[in-house]
Amino acid sequence: MKDEESGNRLGSYLRARRELVSPAQAGLPPGGNRRVPGLRREEVALLAGISPDYYLRLERGRDKNPSPQVLASLARVLELDDIERTYLLGLAAARPRAPRRMRPEHVPARVHELLAHLQIPAFVEGRAFDVLASNPMAVALSPRLRPGHNRLRSLLLDPEEQAFHQDWTRATADFVAALRTTIGDDTDNPRFVELVGELALSSQRFRTLWARHDVRGLAGGTTTVHHPVVGELRLHRDKLPVDDVILVVYYPDKNSDSDEKLRLLAALSPTESADTAHDSPPAIKP
């Protein structure tokens, strides 16, 4: 987390976001001999109605207390959505704090009971996308959904998981942006530091996406996956908070082709009990 360690997260975010806004998007002529992608610092300052010197101080971390009006203007120029605007405000409001002890993520006993009764793929994930518990249908859908695996690590580094997702490019972008949102100002959390450090060393795709500073939530939606046995499955995804963890369920449209394939997958899969939870972040499996 180089930008977080530098103590200038606000400046890093402003720089990353201005590089993603083209002059045409901002209503400016493209011009020639542009040495930076996106907007120049002085262009952002002009469009936001602040002085170039003040914007430079913000980006370099020399001024960490911009007014809400300045932040609103910058959010407008940088074309931030509601989630990104909230993230920007949080960066400006962040204050130094003492390191917090990492609290173990615990799967409640009632969730184990629920997993055992669900006939659709279901599992529990932690804040860093560690799989903490799962039911047999989840493992039948993907063996990477066993406890001890990390969903983001599998997505970026496991060739089978890459082939599993129809739109791997979008999936990786969504997951990395969701991770940055989840981390927020908890940048000294050992689990986040470990995961980001490992992926930054081992995945060019992660480094590219992390440098963009995208933030977004990863909640409900619909995805298409390619199962090696039953073929293409179109599944809805819901993520339900339970205490400090998230219950994730995948399910098809009733009586659809994917519904039939999921029932076939259930018939082909051995029956076993739900996996045991980890009371601390699991060791990541390759």
Side-chain angles (χ1 to χ4, degrees), residues 1 3 16 20 37 65 70 88 90 92 126 133 143 145 148 157 162 183 188 199 209 215 224 232 255 259 265:
M1 295 186 186
D3 53 331
L20 297 175
N65 297 286
V70 167
L88 174 65
L145 292 179
L157 303 180
Q162 294 171 11
I183 290 175
D188 58 358
L199 294 178
L209 292 171
V215 290
T224 300
E232 184 176 293
N255 298 322
D259 191 12
L265 185 61

Side-chain angles (χ1 to χ4, degrees), residues 29-268:
N33 299 321
R34 299 186 69 89
R35 295 190 296 176
V36 297
L39 298 177
R40 301 184 178 102
R41 293 191 184 95
E42 57 269 24
E43 291 171 336
V44 174
L46 173 66
L47 293 169
I50 59 179
S51 72
D53 179 66
Y54 180 59
Y55 179 78
L56 180 62
R57 295 204 306 273
L58 286 177
E59 204 169 274
R60 291 187 174 176
R62 296 173 184 168
D63 190 320
K64 299 183 179 181
N65 297 286
S67 69
Q69 293 79 11
V70 167
L71 292 173
S73 295
L74 290 172
R76 172 181 52 79
V77 173
L78 299 176
E79 301 186 355
L80 304 185
D81 62 22
D82 290 343
I83 293 177
E84 293 164 340
R85 189 179 300 108
T86 299
Y87 185 79
L88 174 65
L89 293 171
L91 291 178
R95 295 290 181 271
R97 56 176 173 76
R100 291 179 288 191
R101 293 184 63 185
M102 184 173 60
R103 184 172 59 181
E105 294 177 313
H106 175 68
V107 181
R110 68 183 188 279
V111 176
H112 281 289
E113 294 296 329
L114 177 60
L115 287 174
H117 284 86
L118 288 175
Q119 301 302 308
I120 55 175
F123 60 95
V124 176
E125 69 180 16
R127 294 178 64 206
F129 300 119
D130 295 312
V131 179
L132 305 176
S134 59
N135 70 357
M137 279 302 297
V139 177
L141 180 67
S142 169
R144 278 83 61 190
L145 292 179
R146 288 187 181 276
H149 288 266
N150 178 274
R151 296 185 68 208
L152 181 55
R153 188 189 189 282
S154 296
L155 186 64
L156 288 164
L157 303 180
D158 190 317
E160 292 184 1
E161 185 71 8
Q162 294 171 11
F164 183 70
H165 291 266
Q166 182 185 66
D167 193 344
W168 179 81
T169 299
R170 178 178 177 180
T172 52
D174 287 345
F175 265 82
V176 173
L179 177 65
R180 187 176 281 282
T181 306
T182 299
I183 290 175
D185 66 349
D186 198 12
T187 56
D188 58 358
N189 183 303
R191 182 68 191 107
F192 292 141
V193 172
E194 176 191 29
L195 180 62
V196 171
E198 178 194 9
L199 294 178
L201 288 173
S202 55
S203 171
Q204 177 60 51
R205 176 65 175 163
F206 179 83
R207 291 193 293 272
T208 299
L209 292 171
W210 194 250
R212 288 173 56 92
H213 285 249
D214 289 332
V215 290
R216 68 178 68 105
L218 184 59
T222 302
T223 186
T224 300
V225 298
H226 297 286
H227 193 276
V229 175
V230 299
E232 184 176 293
L233 292 164
R234 183 177 183 272
L235 301 172
H236 304 298
R237 177 189 66 236
D238 278 323
K239 306 187 76 170
L240 311 171
V242 181
D243 295 345
D244 295 327
V245 296
I246 301 293
L247 173 66
V248 186
V249 294
Y250 283 91
Y251 56 95
D253 288 327
K254 189 69 173 178
N255 298 322
S256 65
D257 181 60
S258 293
D259 191 12
E260 294 181 5
K261 290 179 178 179
L262 206 59
R263 288 199 295 268
L264 173 61
L265 185 61
L268 295 173

